[in-house]
Amino acid sequence: MSTDFQKAREDLGRRLRALRTECPHGPLTGTALSASLGWAQSKVSKLENGRQTPTAEDLRAWADATGHPGAYDELHGRLKGFESHIRSWRRQLSSGHRPVQETWNSVTADVRVLRVWDSFAVNGLLQTPDYARHMFERYATLQNSPRDTEDAVRARMDRQRWLYRPGRCLNLLMWEGALRALVCPPEVLAGQLDRLLGVVGMDTVRLGVVPLNAALRVPPANAFWVVDERLVITEDWHAELWLDDADAVALYRRVWDSLAESAVFGAEAQHVIARARQAMVA
C-alpha cells in the first residue's frame, strides 16, 4: 500500500514540475519559485521529487505562482485521491480527537455489518467512558495533539448508539492480550472487563476472544475493521489506512475468518474475560 501511495506522490511531483517549467511567462527555476513563495528551496525539490506531501494551501500557491490557477482543482483532486487511503495522524489530530471520532460516527451511521479484529485495546464501540478517556489521553501525549478529551469521549459514546439499532451486527474478535493491557489504571480496566462480560449475548454483538494459548493460522498483527464488505480501515502509529479495492477487502476478510477459527465465543469467551479480570486483581 505504501508503494501505491509513494507512486501517487511522485506522479503529483512530476505534474508540479511540469507546471513550473511550462509557466506562461517562461520557465521558472526552482530557486525563483521558492523565492516568490517564501519557501526554502529544498521544499520545492522535495515536492517535485515526491519526498514531501503538499498541503492544499501549497498546491494553491504553486498553481498561482506558476501562472496556472486553473490547475488547482486537478492538483487538489490528486491530493485527495491518495490521501483518502493514507490519513496521517498528524493531520487528522491537528484539531484534536473529537473531529476524528465524528468522522468515524458518520462512516458507521448507516453501516449494517462490521467485522473487527482488535489486537491491542478494547474496541471503541464497547469502551466505557473511563477507559476511552485514558486511551485518548495516551494518544494525545504520543501524537502531541490538542487535548479535547471530554469532547472526544462524548463523540465515542454517541457512536455506541449504533449497537442498539435494529439490523446491526458487530462481529468482534479480540486478542486476549487486549484484555490484559494496562493502558489505564487497574480499577478502570476492571470496569471495562465487566462491560465486556455484559455484552456477550447481545443481539447485535457477536464477541469472540482469541486466547493467548490458541493455535493461530495467521499472526495477530494489527487491528482492523471490515465495513459492510466494501471498506477496510486499519491503523499504524503514523497513519490510518482506508482500503476500498476489492482485493484488499477480500484479503482482510480472509484474515478475519482465519482468526475467527482460533476464537472462542459465548460462555467460553466470558470465561477468558473473567480469567483476565481475576489475573489483574490478583
Side-chain angles (χ1 to χ4, degrees):
M1 179 60 202
S2 60
T3 299
D4 293 340
F5 170 74
Q6 183 57 28
K7 182 180 182 302
R9 194 161 68 167
E10 290 170 357
D11 288 343
L12 177 57
R14 281 190 285 271
R15 178 64 174 135
L16 293 175
R17 183 182 300 112
L19 292 175
R20 175 175 60 79
T21 59
E22 296 168 9
C23 182
H25 303 296
L28 276 175
T29 66
T31 301
L33 178 60
S34 62
S36 70
L37 293 173
W39 295 352
Q41 199 281 327
S42 60
K43 179 173 179 176
V44 170
S45 175
K46 288 177 181 178
L47 290 175
E48 290 189 349
N49 289 287
R51 290 185 285 114
Q52 180 173 327
T53 302
T55 65
E57 293 75 17
D58 291 339
L59 296 178
R60 172 72 74 185
W62 192 290
D64 290 344
T66 59
H68 299 282
Y72 171 74
D73 288 343
E74 173 216 335
L75 297 174
H76 192 230
R78 287 173 178 252
L79 178 66
K80 289 176 64 178
F82 63 79
E83 284 203 329
S84 66
H85 289 81
I86 300 185
R87 305 186 177 200
S88 75
W89 288 122
R90 178 178 60 84
R91 295 191 181 205
Q92 287 199 82
L93 297 175
S94 61
S95 298
H97 277 88
R98 181 185 58 80
V100 177
Q101 295 306 302
E102 290 178 343
T103 296
W104 270 87
N105 292 0
S106 65
V107 167
T108 57
D110 296 320
V111 170
R112 302 191 70 82
V113 179
L114 291 168
R115 297 183 188 277
V116 183
W117 164 245
D118 272 320
S119 56
F120 59 86
V122 174
N123 187 266
L125 280 168
L126 300 180
Q127 288 180 6
T128 65
D130 282 344
Y131 185 94
R133 188 170 291 111
H134 283 278
M135 291 296 290
F136 286 128
E137 289 288 338
R138 297 288 192 273
Y139 280 112
T141 299
L142 176 68
Q143 301 288 351
N144 194 28
S145 59
R147 293 181 183 270
D148 59 345
T149 303
E150 296 309 314
D151 287 342
V153 170
R154 281 191 289 272
R156 178 163 286 182
M157 294 305 105
D158 184 57
R159 191 193 317 157
Q160 294 185 4
R161 293 187 296 176
W162 184 90
L163 294 169
Y164 302 95
R165 297 174 61 187
R168 271 45 180 180
C169 185
L170 171 63
N171 298 284
L172 173 61
L173 299 175
M174 292 185 63
W175 180 235
E176 184 182 345
L179 305 174
R180 297 171 177 264
L182 281 171
V183 293
C184 58
E187 62 272 17
V188 172
L189 183 56
Q192 178 61 73
L193 296 180
D194 288 340
R195 160 74 168 152
L196 290 180
L197 289 169
V199 302
V200 175
M202 276 182 64
D203 290 342
T204 57
V205 179
R206 184 169 183 258
L207 174 61
V209 179
V210 177
L212 291 172
N213 62 352
L216 299 170
R217 291 184 57 197
V218 293
N222 55 312
F224 61 86
W225 296 53
V226 180
V227 180
D228 272 347
E229 306 293 328
R230 60 177 172 78
L231 171 69
V232 169
I233 303 175
T234 185
E235 63 183 66
D236 211 327
W237 293 110
H238 73 295
E240 213 173 42
L241 310 184
W242 291 45
L243 312 174
D244 57 6
D245 63 281
D247 289 342
V249 173
L251 171 62
Y252 277 84
R253 177 59 194 272
R254 290 198 301 274
V255 172
W256 193 93
D257 289 343
S258 296
L259 290 164
E261 293 182 16
S262 301
V264 295
F265 298 85
E268 289 182 88
Q270 285 181 314
H271 175 72
V272 177
I273 297 168
R275 183 175 65 198
R277 192 186 192 287
Q278 182 178 11
M280 179 196 61
V281 174

